[in-house]
Amino acid sequence: MEVHVNNKLYAVQPETSVSALLQFIQLSSGKGIAVAVNRQVIPRPAWPSTLLMPDDHITIIQATQGG
């Protein structure tokens, strides 16, 4: 199935969780990451149990340091 991550199309397996998606795109699930699915923010504890559906739109925001 295909999902959109930050406006880029990815092919993932059915029943892929948010956590699995982050691993698939090689983003550490460490601190400083926020995830929204179809404009709904998903709390970090729900990442493993939140399953993606075909054509979902996922937004990933990663905090950076700087000044």
Side-chain angles (χ1 to χ4, degrees):
M1 77 176 180
E2 294 179 335
V3 296
H4 303 268
V5 180
N6 292 352
N7 297 319
K8 185 174 179 184
L9 196 60
Y10 284 88
V12 296
Q13 296 295 319
E15 298 190 17
T16 296
S17 68
V18 170
S19 292
L21 174 69
L22 291 174
Q23 289 177 338
F24 176 71
I25 62 175
Q26 299 178 343
L27 252 180
S28 90
S29 57
K31 294 181 181 179
I33 296 177
V35 178
V37 177
N38 300 321
R39 297 186 179 190
Q40 180 179 348
V41 175
I42 308 299
R44 183 180 303 272
W47 290 0
S49 62
T50 301
L51 301 180
L52 302 174
M53 302 299 290
D55 206 37
D56 273 351
H57 289 263
I58 298 98
T59 303
I60 300 172
I61 299 172
Q62 188 167 15
T64 59
Q65 288 182 319

